[in-house]
Coordinates of all heavy atoms in Angstrom, one line a residue:
R741 N -101.8 19.8 -29.0 CA -100.6 20.2 -29.7 C -99.7 21.0 -28.8 O -98.5 20.8 -28.9 CB -101.0 21.1 -30.9 CG -101.3 20.4 -32.1 CD -101.6 21.2 -33.3 NE -101.5 22.7 -33.2 CZ -101.9 23.6 -34.0 NH1 -102.5 23.3 -35.1 NH2 -101.7 24.9 -33.8
G742 N -100.2 21.7 -27.9 CA -99.5 22.6 -27.0 C -98.5 21.7 -26.1 O -97.4 22.0 -25.9
R743 N -99.1 20.6 -25.6 CA -98.3 19.8 -24.7 C -97.1 19.1 -25.6 O -96.0 19.0 -25.0 CB -99.1 18.7 -24.1 CG -100.1 19.2 -23.0 CD -100.9 18.2 -22.4 NE -101.8 18.9 -21.5 CZ -102.4 18.2 -20.5 NH1 -102.3 17.0 -20.4 NH2 -103.2 18.9 -19.7
L744 N -97.4 18.7 -26.8 CA -96.3 18.1 -27.6 C -95.3 19.2 -27.8 O -94.0 18.9 -27.6 CB -96.9 17.7 -28.9 CG -95.9 17.1 -30.0 CD1 -95.1 16.0 -29.4 CD2 -96.5 16.8 -31.2
K745 N -95.6 20.3 -28.2 CA -94.6 21.4 -28.4 C -93.8 21.7 -27.2 O -92.7 22.0 -27.2 CB -95.3 22.6 -29.0 CG -95.8 22.4 -30.4 CD -96.5 23.6 -31.0 CE -96.9 23.3 -32.5 NZ -97.7 24.4 -33.0
K746 N -94.5 21.7 -26.0 CA -93.8 21.9 -24.7 C -92.8 20.9 -24.6 O -91.7 21.1 -24.2 CB -94.9 22.0 -23.6 CG -94.2 22.4 -22.3 CD -95.3 22.5 -21.3 CE -94.6 23.0 -20.0 NZ -94.4 21.9 -19.0
R747 N -93.1 19.6 -24.7 CA -92.2 18.5 -24.6 C -91.0 18.6 -25.5 O -89.9 18.2 -25.2 CB -92.9 17.1 -24.7 CG -93.6 16.6 -23.5 CD -94.1 15.3 -23.7 NE -95.5 15.5 -23.9 CZ -96.3 14.9 -24.8 NH1 -95.8 13.9 -25.5 NH2 -97.6 15.1 -24.9
Q748 N -91.3 19.2 -26.7 CA -90.2 19.4 -27.7 C -89.3 20.7 -27.3 O -88.3 20.9 -28.0 CB -90.8 19.6 -29.0 CG -91.5 18.4 -29.6 CD -92.3 18.6 -30.9 OE1 -92.6 19.8 -31.2 NE2 -92.4 17.6 -31.7
G749 N -89.7 21.3 -26.3 CA -88.9 22.5 -25.9 C -89.3 23.8 -26.7 O -88.7 24.8 -26.6
R750 N -90.4 23.7 -27.4 CA -90.9 24.9 -28.2 C -91.9 25.6 -27.4 O -93.1 25.5 -27.6 CB -91.5 24.3 -29.5 CG -90.4 23.6 -30.4 CD -91.0 22.8 -31.5 NE -91.9 23.7 -32.3 CZ -92.8 23.1 -33.2 NH1 -92.9 21.8 -33.3 NH2 -93.6 23.9 -33.9
L751 N -91.4 26.3 -26.3 CA -92.3 26.9 -25.3 C -93.2 28.0 -25.9 O -94.4 28.1 -25.6 CB -91.5 27.4 -24.2 CG -90.7 26.3 -23.4 CD1 -90.0 26.9 -22.2 CD2 -91.5 25.1 -23.0
K752 N -92.7 28.9 -26.7 CA -93.5 29.9 -27.3 C -94.6 29.4 -28.2 O -95.7 29.8 -28.1 CB -92.6 30.9 -28.1 CG -91.8 31.8 -27.4 CD -91.1 32.8 -28.3 CE -90.2 33.9 -27.5 NZ -89.6 34.8 -28.4
D753 N -94.2 28.4 -29.0 CA -95.2 27.7 -29.8 C -96.3 27.0 -28.9 O -97.5 27.1 -29.3 CB -94.6 26.7 -30.7 CG -93.7 27.4 -31.8 OD1 -93.9 28.6 -32.2 OD2 -92.9 26.7 -32.4
A754 N -95.9 26.5 -27.8 CA -96.9 25.8 -26.9 C -97.8 26.8 -26.4 O -99.0 26.6 -26.3 CB -96.1 25.1 -25.9
V755 N -97.3 28.0 -25.9 CA -98.1 29.0 -25.3 C -99.1 29.5 -26.4 O -100.3 29.7 -26.1 CB -97.3 30.2 -24.9 CG1 -98.2 31.4 -24.6 CG2 -96.6 29.8 -23.6
A756 N -98.7 29.6 -27.7 CA -99.6 30.0 -28.8 C -100.7 29.0 -29.0 O -101.8 29.4 -29.2 CB -98.8 30.2 -30.0
D757 N -100.3 27.8 -28.9 CA -101.4 26.7 -29.1 C -102.3 26.7 -27.9 O -103.5 26.5 -28.2 CB -100.7 25.3 -29.2 CG -100.2 25.1 -30.6 OD1 -100.4 25.9 -31.5 OD2 -99.5 24.0 -30.8
F758 N -101.8 26.8 -26.7 CA -102.8 26.9 -25.5 C -103.7 28.1 -25.7 O -104.8 28.0 -25.4 CB -102.0 27.0 -24.3 CG -101.2 25.7 -23.9 CD1 -99.9 25.9 -23.4 CD2 -101.7 24.4 -24.1 CE1 -99.1 24.7 -23.1 CE2 -101.0 23.3 -23.7 CZ -99.7 23.4 -23.2
T759 N -103.2 29.2 -26.1 CA -104.0 30.4 -26.3 C -105.1 30.2 -27.4 O -106.2 30.6 -27.1 CB -103.1 31.6 -26.6 OG1 -102.1 31.8 -25.6 CG2 -103.9 32.9 -26.8
A760 N -104.7 29.5 -28.4 CA -105.6 29.2 -29.5 C -106.8 28.3 -29.0 O -107.9 28.6 -29.3 CB -104.9 28.6 -30.7
A761 N -106.4 27.3 -28.2 CA -107.4 26.5 -27.6 C -108.4 27.2 -26.7 O -109.6 27.0 -26.7 CB -106.8 25.3 -26.8
L762 N -107.8 28.2 -26.0 CA -108.6 28.9 -25.1 C -109.5 30.0 -25.8 O -110.6 30.3 -25.3 CB -107.8 29.7 -24.0 CG -107.1 28.7 -23.0 CD1 -106.0 29.4 -22.2 CD2 -108.2 28.1 -22.1
R763 N -109.2 30.3 -27.0 CA -110.0 31.2 -27.8 C -111.3 30.4 -28.3 O -112.4 31.0 -28.4 CB -109.3 31.7 -29.0 CG -108.4 32.9 -28.7 CD -107.8 33.6 -30.0 NE -106.8 34.4 -29.7 CZ -105.5 34.2 -30.1 NH1 -105.2 33.2 -30.8 NH2 -104.6 35.0 -29.7
L764 N -111.1 29.1 -28.4 CA -112.2 28.3 -28.9 C -113.1 27.9 -27.7 O -114.3 27.8 -27.8 CB -111.7 27.0 -29.5 CG -110.9 27.1 -30.8 CD1 -110.3 25.8 -31.2 CD2 -111.9 27.7 -31.9
N765 N -112.5 27.8 -26.5 CA -113.3 27.5 -25.3 C -112.6 28.0 -24.1 O -111.5 27.4 -23.6 CB -113.5 26.0 -25.2 CG -114.4 25.6 -23.9 OD1 -114.6 26.4 -23.1 ND2 -114.8 24.3 -23.9
A766 N -113.0 29.1 -23.5 CA -112.3 29.8 -22.4 C -112.6 29.2 -21.1 O -112.2 29.7 -20.1 CB -112.7 31.3 -22.4
M767 N -113.3 28.1 -21.0 CA -113.7 27.4 -19.8 C -112.9 26.1 -19.5 O -113.4 25.1 -19.0 CB -115.2 27.1 -19.7 CG -116.0 28.4 -19.9 SD -115.7 29.6 -18.6 CE -116.5 28.9 -17.3
L768 N -111.6 26.1 -20.0 CA -110.8 24.8 -19.8 C -109.7 25.1 -18.8 O -108.6 25.5 -19.1 CB -110.2 24.5 -21.2 CG -111.2 24.2 -22.3 CD1 -110.4 24.1 -23.6 CD2 -111.9 23.0 -22.0
P769 N -109.9 24.8 -17.5 CA -108.9 25.1 -16.5 C -107.6 24.4 -16.7 O -106.6 24.9 -16.4 CB -109.7 24.6 -15.2 CG -110.7 23.6 -15.6 CD -111.1 24.1 -17.0
H770 N -107.7 23.1 -17.2 CA -106.4 22.4 -17.5 C -105.5 23.1 -18.4 O -104.3 23.1 -18.4 CB -106.6 20.9 -17.8 CG -107.4 20.7 -19.1 ND1 -108.8 21.0 -19.2 CD2 -107.0 20.4 -20.3 CE1 -109.2 20.7 -20.4 NE2 -108.1 20.4 -21.1
V771 N -106.2 23.8 -19.5 CA -105.3 24.5 -20.5 C -104.7 25.7 -19.9 O -103.6 26.1 -20.2 CB -106.2 24.8 -21.8 CG1 -105.4 25.6 -22.7 CG2 -106.7 23.5 -22.3
Y772 N -105.5 26.5 -19.0 CA -104.9 27.6 -18.3 C -103.7 27.2 -17.4 O -102.7 27.8 -17.4 CB -105.9 28.3 -17.4 CG -106.9 29.2 -18.2 CD1 -108.2 28.8 -18.5 CD2 -106.5 30.4 -18.7 CE1 -109.1 29.6 -19.2 CE2 -107.3 31.2 -19.4 CZ -108.6 30.8 -19.7 OH -109.5 31.6 -20.4
A773 N -103.9 26.0 -16.8 CA -102.8 25.6 -15.9 C -101.6 25.2 -16.8 O -100.5 25.4 -16.4 CB -103.3 24.4 -15.1
A774 N -101.8 24.5 -17.9 CA -100.7 24.1 -18.8 C -100.0 25.4 -19.3 O -98.7 25.4 -19.4 CB -101.2 23.3 -19.9
R775 N -100.8 26.4 -19.7 CA -100.2 27.6 -20.3 C -99.4 28.4 -19.1 O -98.3 28.8 -19.3 CB -101.2 28.5 -20.9 CG -100.6 29.8 -21.5 CD -101.6 30.5 -22.3 NE -102.5 31.2 -21.4 CZ -103.4 32.1 -21.8 NH1 -103.6 32.3 -23.1 NH2 -104.2 32.8 -21.0
A776 N -100.0 28.3 -17.9 CA -99.3 28.9 -16.7 C -97.9 28.3 -16.5 O -97.0 28.9 -16.3 CB -100.2 28.8 -15.5
R777 N -97.9 26.9 -16.5 CA -96.6 26.2 -16.2 C -95.7 26.6 -17.3 O -94.4 26.8 -17.0 CB -96.9 24.7 -16.2 CG -95.7 24.0 -15.8 CD -95.3 24.2 -14.3 NE -93.9 23.6 -14.1 CZ -93.2 24.0 -13.1 NH1 -93.6 24.8 -12.2 NH2 -92.1 23.4 -12.9
T778 N -96.0 26.6 -18.5 CA -95.2 26.9 -19.6 C -94.7 28.4 -19.5 O -93.5 28.6 -19.7 CB -95.9 26.8 -21.0 OG1 -96.4 25.4 -21.0 CG2 -94.9 26.9 -22.2
R779 N -95.6 29.3 -19.2 CA -95.1 30.7 -19.0 C -94.1 30.8 -17.9 O -93.1 31.5 -17.9 CB -96.3 31.6 -18.7 CG -97.1 31.8 -20.0 CD -98.4 32.7 -19.7 NE -98.8 33.4 -20.9 CZ -99.9 34.1 -20.8 NH1 -100.7 34.3 -19.9 NH2 -100.4 34.6 -22.0
W780 N -94.4 30.1 -16.8 CA -93.5 30.1 -15.7 C -92.1 29.6 -16.1 O -91.1 30.2 -15.8 CB -94.1 29.2 -14.6 CG -93.4 29.4 -13.2 CD1 -92.4 30.2 -12.8 CD2 -93.9 28.8 -12.0 NE1 -92.2 30.1 -11.5 CE2 -93.1 29.2 -11.0 CE3 -94.9 27.9 -11.8 CZ2 -93.2 28.8 -9.7 CZ3 -95.0 27.5 -10.4 CH2 -94.2 27.9 -9.4
E781 N -92.1 28.5 -16.8 CA -90.8 28.0 -17.4 C -90.0 29.0 -18.3 O -88.8 29.0 -18.3 CB -91.0 26.7 -18.1 CG -91.4 25.5 -17.2 CD -91.7 24.2 -17.9 OE1 -91.2 24.1 -19.1 OE2 -92.4 23.4 -17.4
M782 N -90.8 29.8 -19.0 CA -90.2 30.9 -19.8 C -89.8 32.2 -18.9 O -89.3 33.0 -19.6 CB -91.3 31.3 -20.9 CG -91.6 30.1 -21.8 SD -93.0 30.6 -22.9 CE -92.2 32.0 -23.8
G783 N -90.1 32.1 -17.7 CA -89.7 33.3 -16.9 C -90.8 34.4 -16.8 O -90.6 35.5 -16.2
D784 N -92.0 34.1 -17.3 CA -93.1 35.0 -17.3 C -94.0 34.7 -16.0 O -95.1 34.1 -16.1 CB -94.0 34.9 -18.5 CG -95.2 35.8 -18.6 OD1 -95.3 36.7 -17.6 OD2 -96.0 35.7 -19.5
S785 N -93.5 35.1 -14.9 CA -94.2 34.8 -13.5 C -95.6 35.5 -13.5 O -96.5 34.9 -13.0 CB -93.3 35.2 -12.4 OG -92.2 34.5 -12.3
D786 N -95.7 36.7 -14.0 CA -96.9 37.4 -14.0 C -98.0 36.7 -14.8 O -99.1 36.5 -14.4 CB -96.8 38.9 -14.4 CG -95.9 39.7 -13.4 OD1 -95.9 39.3 -12.2 OD2 -95.4 40.7 -13.8
G787 N -97.6 36.3 -16.0 CA -98.6 35.6 -16.9 C -99.0 34.3 -16.3 O -100.1 33.9 -16.3
A788 N -98.0 33.6 -15.7 CA -98.2 32.3 -15.0 C -99.2 32.4 -13.8 O -100.2 31.7 -13.7 CB -96.9 31.7 -14.5
F789 N -99.0 33.5 -13.0 CA -99.8 33.8 -11.9 C -101.3 34.0 -12.4 O -102.2 33.4 -11.8 CB -99.4 35.0 -11.1 CG -100.0 35.2 -9.8 CD1 -99.6 34.6 -8.7 CD2 -101.2 36.0 -9.7 CE1 -100.2 34.7 -7.5 CE2 -101.9 36.1 -8.5 CZ -101.4 35.5 -7.4
G790 N -101.4 34.9 -13.4 CA -102.8 35.1 -13.9 C -103.5 33.9 -14.5 O -104.7 33.7 -14.2
D791 N -102.7 33.1 -15.2 CA -103.4 31.8 -15.8 C -103.7 30.9 -14.7 O -104.8 30.3 -14.7 CB -102.4 31.2 -16.7 CG -102.4 31.8 -18.1 OD1 -103.3 32.6 -18.3 OD2 -101.6 31.5 -18.9
Y792 N -102.9 30.7 -13.7 CA -103.1 29.8 -12.6 C -104.4 30.3 -11.8 O -105.4 29.5 -11.5 CB -102.0 29.6 -11.6 CG -100.9 28.6 -12.0 CD1 -99.6 28.9 -11.9 CD2 -101.3 27.3 -12.3 CE1 -98.6 28.0 -12.3 CE2 -100.4 26.4 -12.7 CZ -99.0 26.7 -12.6 OH -98.1 25.8 -13.0
A793 N -104.4 31.6 -11.5 CA -105.5 32.2 -10.8 C -106.9 32.0 -11.6 O -107.9 31.6 -11.0 CB -105.4 33.6 -10.5
Y794 N -106.8 32.2 -12.9 CA -108.0 32.1 -13.7 C -108.5 30.6 -13.8 O -109.6 30.3 -13.9 CB -107.8 32.7 -15.0 CG -109.2 33.0 -15.7 CD1 -110.0 34.0 -15.2 CD2 -109.7 32.2 -16.8 CE1 -111.2 34.3 -15.8 CE2 -110.9 32.5 -17.4 CZ -111.7 33.5 -16.8 OH -112.9 33.7 -17.4
S795 N -107.5 29.6 -13.8 CA -107.9 28.3 -13.9 C -108.7 27.9 -12.7 O -109.6 27.1 -12.8 CB -106.6 27.4 -14.0 OG -105.9 27.3 -12.8
L796 N -108.4 28.5 -11.6 CA -109.3 28.2 -10.4 C -110.7 28.7 -10.6 O -111.7 28.2 -10.1 CB -108.6 28.7 -9.1 CG -107.3 28.0 -8.6 CD1 -106.8 28.7 -7.4 CD2 -107.6 26.5 -8.4
E797 N -110.7 29.9 -11.2 CA -112.0 30.6 -11.3 C -113.0 29.8 -12.3 O -114.2 29.8 -12.0 CB -111.8 32.0 -11.9 CG -111.3 33.0 -10.9 CD -111.2 34.3 -11.5 OE1 -112.1 34.8 -12.3 OE2 -110.2 35.1 -11.2
V798 N -112.4 29.2 -13.3 CA -113.3 28.5 -14.3 C -113.4 26.9 -13.9 O -114.1 26.2 -14.7 CB -112.8 28.7 -15.7 CG1 -112.8 30.1 -16.1 CG2 -111.4 28.0 -15.9
S799 N -112.7 26.5 -12.9 CA -112.8 25.1 -12.6 C -113.9 24.7 -11.7 O -114.4 25.6 -10.9 CB -111.4 24.6 -12.0 OG -111.3 25.2 -10.7
A800 N -114.3 23.5 -11.7 CA -115.2 22.9 -10.7 C -114.6 22.8 -9.4 O -113.4 22.6 -9.3 CB -115.7 21.6 -11.2
P801 N -115.4 22.9 -8.3 CA -114.9 22.9 -6.9 C -114.0 21.5 -6.7 O -113.1 21.6 -5.9 CB -116.1 23.0 -6.0 CG -117.1 23.6 -6.9 CD -116.8 23.2 -8.3
D802 N -114.4 20.5 -7.4 CA -113.7 19.2 -7.2 C -112.6 18.9 -8.2 O -112.2 17.8 -8.3 CB -114.7 18.1 -7.0 CG -115.5 17.9 -8.4 OD1 -115.5 18.8 -9.2 OD2 -116.1 16.8 -8.5
W803 N -112.2 19.9 -8.9 CA -111.2 19.6 -9.9 C -109.9 19.1 -9.2 O -109.5 19.5 -8.3 CB -110.8 21.0 -10.6 CG -109.9 21.0 -11.7 CD1 -109.7 20.0 -12.7 CD2 -108.8 22.0 -12.0 NE1 -108.7 20.4 -13.6 CE2 -108.1 21.6 -13.1 CE3 -108.4 23.1 -11.3 CZ2 -107.0 22.2 -13.7 CZ3 -107.3 23.8 -11.9 CH2 -106.7 23.4 -13.0
N804 N -109.4 18.0 -9.9 CA -108.4 17.3 -9.3 C -107.0 18.0 -9.3 O -106.1 17.5 -8.6 CB -108.2 15.9 -10.0 CG -107.8 15.9 -11.4 OD1 -107.9 17.1 -12.0 ND2 -107.3 14.9 -12.0
R805 N -106.8 19.0 -9.9 CA -105.6 19.8 -9.9 C -105.6 21.0 -9.1 O -104.7 21.8 -9.0 CB -105.2 20.1 -11.4 CG -104.9 18.9 -12.2 CD -104.3 19.1 -13.5 NE -103.0 19.8 -13.3 CZ -102.5 20.5 -14.4 NH1 -103.0 20.5 -15.5 NH2 -101.4 21.2 -14.2
R806 N -106.8 21.2 -8.4 CA -106.9 22.5 -7.6 C -105.8 22.7 -6.5 O -105.2 23.8 -6.4 CB -108.3 22.4 -6.9 CG -108.7 23.6 -6.1 CD -110.1 23.6 -5.7 NE -111.0 23.9 -6.7 CZ -111.3 25.2 -7.1 NH1 -110.8 26.2 -6.5 NH2 -112.1 25.4 -8.1
D807 N -105.4 21.6 -5.8 CA -104.4 21.8 -4.8 C -103.1 22.1 -5.4 O -102.3 22.9 -4.9 CB -104.3 20.5 -4.0 CG -105.5 20.4 -3.0 OD1 -106.1 21.4 -2.7 OD2 -105.7 19.2 -2.5
E808 N -102.7 21.5 -6.6 CA -101.5 21.7 -7.2 C -101.4 23.2 -7.7 O -100.4 23.8 -7.6 CB -101.4 20.8 -8.5 CG -100.3 21.0 -9.4 CD -100.4 20.2 -10.8 OE1 -101.1 19.2 -10.7 OE2 -99.9 20.6 -11.8
V809 N -102.5 23.7 -8.3 CA -102.5 25.0 -8.7 C -102.4 26.1 -7.5 O -101.7 27.0 -7.6 CB -103.9 25.3 -9.5 CG1 -104.1 26.8 -9.8 CG2 -103.8 24.5 -10.8
K810 N -103.1 25.7 -6.5 CA -103.0 26.6 -5.3 C -101.6 26.7 -4.8 O -101.1 27.7 -4.4 CB -104.0 26.1 -4.2 CG -105.4 26.5 -4.4 CD -106.3 25.9 -3.2 CE -107.7 26.3 -3.5 NZ -108.5 25.8 -2.4
E811 N -100.9 25.5 -4.8 CA -99.5 25.5 -4.3 C -98.6 26.3 -5.3 O -97.7 27.1 -4.9 CB -99.0 24.1 -4.3 CG -97.5 24.0 -3.9 CD -97.1 24.5 -2.6 OE1 -98.0 24.8 -1.7 OE2 -95.9 24.7 -2.3
A812 N -98.8 26.2 -6.6 CA -98.1 27.0 -7.6 C -98.3 28.5 -7.4 O -97.3 29.3 -7.4 CB -98.5 26.7 -9.0
L813 N -99.6 28.9 -7.1 CA -99.9 30.3 -6.7 C -99.1 30.7 -5.5 O -98.6 31.9 -5.4 CB -101.3 30.5 -6.6 CG -102.1 30.5 -7.9 CD1 -103.6 30.4 -7.6 CD2 -101.8 31.8 -8.7
R814 N -99.1 29.9 -4.5 CA -98.4 30.3 -3.2 C -96.9 30.5 -3.5 O -96.3 31.5 -3.1 CB -98.6 29.1 -2.3 CG -98.0 29.4 -0.9 CD -97.9 28.3 0.0 NE -96.9 27.3 -0.4 CZ -95.5 27.5 -0.3 NH1 -95.1 28.5 0.3 NH2 -94.8 26.5 -0.8
V815 N -96.2 29.6 -4.3 CA -94.9 29.8 -4.6 C -94.7 31.1 -5.4 O -93.7 31.8 -5.1 CB -94.3 28.5 -5.4 CG1 -92.9 28.8 -6.0 CG2 -94.3 27.3 -4.6
L816 N -95.4 31.2 -6.4 CA -95.3 32.5 -7.2 C -95.5 33.8 -6.4 O -94.8 34.7 -6.5 CB -96.3 32.5 -8.4 CG -96.0 31.6 -9.6 CD1 -97.2 31.3 -10.5 CD2 -94.8 32.2 -10.3
R817 N -96.5 33.8 -5.5 CA -96.8 34.8 -4.6 C -95.5 35.1 -3.7 O -95.1 36.3 -3.6 CB -98.0 34.6 -3.7 CG -98.7 35.8 -3.3 CD -100.0 35.4 -2.5 NE -101.1 35.1 -3.4 CZ -101.8 33.9 -3.4 NH1 -101.4 33.0 -2.7 NH2 -102.7 33.7 -4.3
H818 N -94.9 34.0 -3.2 CA -93.7 34.2 -2.4 C -92.6 34.8 -3.3 O -91.8 35.6 -2.8 CB -93.3 32.8 -1.8 CG -92.1 32.9 -1.0 ND1 -92.0 33.4 0.2 CD2 -90.8 32.4 -1.3 CE1 -90.8 33.4 0.7 NE2 -90.0 32.7 -0.3
Q819 N -92.4 34.4 -4.5 CA -91.4 34.9 -5.4 C -91.5 36.4 -5.6 O -90.5 37.1 -5.8 CB -91.3 34.1 -6.7 CG -90.8 32.7 -6.6 CD -90.8 32.1 -7.9 OE1 -91.4 32.4 -8.9 NE2 -90.1 30.8 -8.0
R820 N -92.8 36.7 -5.7 CA -93.0 38.2 -6.0 C -92.7 39.0 -4.8 O -92.3 40.2 -5.1 CB -94.6 38.4 -6.3 CG -95.0 37.9 -7.6 CD -96.5 38.0 -7.7 NE -97.0 38.3 -9.0 CZ -98.2 38.5 -9.4 NH1 -99.2 38.5 -8.4 NH2 -98.6 38.7 -10.6
T821 N -92.8 38.5 -3.6 CA -92.5 39.4 -2.5 C -91.0 39.2 -2.0 O -90.6 39.9 -1.1 CB -93.4 39.0 -1.3 OG1 -93.3 37.6 -0.9 CG2 -94.9 39.3 -1.7
A822 N -90.3 38.3 -2.5 CA -88.9 38.0 -2.2 C -88.0 39.0 -2.8 O -88.1 39.7 -3.7 CB -88.5 36.6 -2.5

């Protein structure tokens, strides 16, 4: 549901759906990454950074989005210091 709402431009609703999914299962790195991207689009860089960082903590070492998430964290880190 969160992805559909995000595509519809309903970003707050998408974040709420991602959060609800994480309440049911907090070990879903792809959901943390999706919520992070949505938060970033909303201007919530701190929330995005936290979600991206946590997605790495709960993901398997061979998670296929690991490099993408690391790059997002690098960009966010740079924005924080700029």
Side-chain angles (χ1 to χ4, degrees):
R741 273 183 9 188
R743 289 182 185 198
L744 174 62
K745 289 178 182 174
K746 185 174 185 263
R747 275 186 260 137
Q748 294 172 337
R750 298 168 52 198
L751 301 182
K752 282 186 178 181
D753 292 335
V755 167
D757 281 353
F758 293 137
T759 301
L762 291 167
R763 280 192 195 112
L764 295 174
N765 183 349
M767 302 302 287
L768 299 172
H770 63 285
V771 178
Y772 282 104
R775 187 172 74 174
R777 184 69 191 164
T778 307
R779 285 179 160 175
W780 197 356
E781 290 176 21
M782 294 172 63
D784 180 8
S785 297
D786 290 338
F789 189 91
D791 278 350
Y792 276 134
Y794 199 70
S795 74
L796 291 178
E797 287 184 37
V798 299
S799 67
D802 63 344
W803 183 41
N804 65 343
R805 294 191 57 199
R806 184 170 281 280
D807 289 340
E808 172 190 337
V809 168
K810 285 182 178 180
E811 176 61 15
L813 284 168
R814 188 194 65 75
V815 170
L816 283 165
R817 210 175 277 120
H818 178 74
Q819 287 179 351
R820 286 174 149 183
T821 60

